[in-house]
Amino acid sequence: MTRTPLSDVACSIARATDLFGDAWTALIMRDVLVGIRRFDELAEDLGLSRKVLAARLARLVEEGVLTRERYQDSPPREEYVATEKGQELYPVLLALMAWGDKWYAGPAGPPAKVRHDACGHVTTPVMACEACREPLTVADTTQLPGPGGKVGTGTRLLGPLIAAREAADPSPAPSGSR
């Protein structure tokens, strides 16, 4: 089955999903970010075919999400390490984990917990406003047009909807906001 590329859609979710459009890529990143970095270990942990794993890893390296670093010279062996771009995916994976824990954990509870090392507390990740630190929800946020927005494939209805929201309430954002 051929996937339609989303890299030209004027939507950051679509563009990110173009890279992470399959579960294996997210699970590879989960493993690398928690410390499973070698090819054979990734293959063993995920139970993924070596061909699929190699293709996903190559794409993550090509996109600058992972880099290969040599850990042994003879014979040459490399491991995968998250770049800054890759490390910034961690909150995305935590948000997906929190949602999965809430809706799919089952009676036994979540399969893993997250401890915030700075304070020592086990926590549930929360997406919060950069300015006031209040949690963000669908009920108290509004998407507005951005400078790269355009109407086209993947945004034929969304683009005009978002533009109409700003036209309906053109009040400027509070000072200090972006």
Side-chain angles (χ1 to χ4, degrees):
M1 180 169 131
T2 305
R3 265 192 344 105
T4 302
L6 301 173
S7 56
D8 292 334
V9 176
C11 171
S12 296
I13 294 171
R15 292 172 181 163
T17 304
D18 195 46
L19 176 59
F20 290 96
D22 70 279
W24 292 123
T25 303
L27 294 176
I28 290 165
M29 287 307 301
R30 174 204 66 188
D31 278 12
V32 169
L33 289 167
V34 299
I36 301 172
R37 299 180 181 166
R38 296 178 181 175
F39 187 92
D40 289 338
E41 293 171 343
L42 289 163
E44 180 183 347
D45 187 56
L46 297 170
L48 180 60
S49 81
R50 297 175 75 78
K51 181 179 177 181
V52 171
L53 178 58
R56 297 306 186 278
L57 287 168
R59 175 90 192 273
L60 289 165
V61 169
E62 178 185 315
E63 292 288 336
V65 175
L66 295 177
T67 186
R68 290 194 311 247
E69 291 185 6
R70 174 98 19 119
Y71 69 87
Q72 178 180 309
D73 288 326
S74 184
R77 302 245 189 241
E78 297 175 325
E79 63 184 4
Y80 295 88
V81 177
T83 62
E84 180 182 358
K85 184 178 180 180
Q87 290 173 11
E88 288 186 6
L89 280 168
Y90 190 62
V92 175
L93 295 174
L94 287 179
L96 188 57
M97 177 183 161
W99 183 81
D101 286 349
K102 179 174 182 176
W103 296 104
Y104 295 104
K113 296 180 180 182
V114 176
R115 181 186 65 224
H116 184 222
D117 293 337
C119 71
H121 286 93
V122 173
T123 188
T124 299
V126 176
M127 178 65 71
C129 174
E130 177 184 31
C132 71
R133 303 293 185 222
E134 287 293 318
L136 298 174
T137 69
V138 69
D140 62 14
T141 59
T142 302
Q143 290 196 17
L144 301 172
K150 65 180 181 179
V151 176
T153 302
T155 60
R156 291 191 203 293
L157 300 176
L158 182 65
L161 173 68
I162 290 174
R165 287 179 179 163
E166 184 174 54
D169 182 15
S171 59
S175 63
S177 64
R178 292 193 220 183

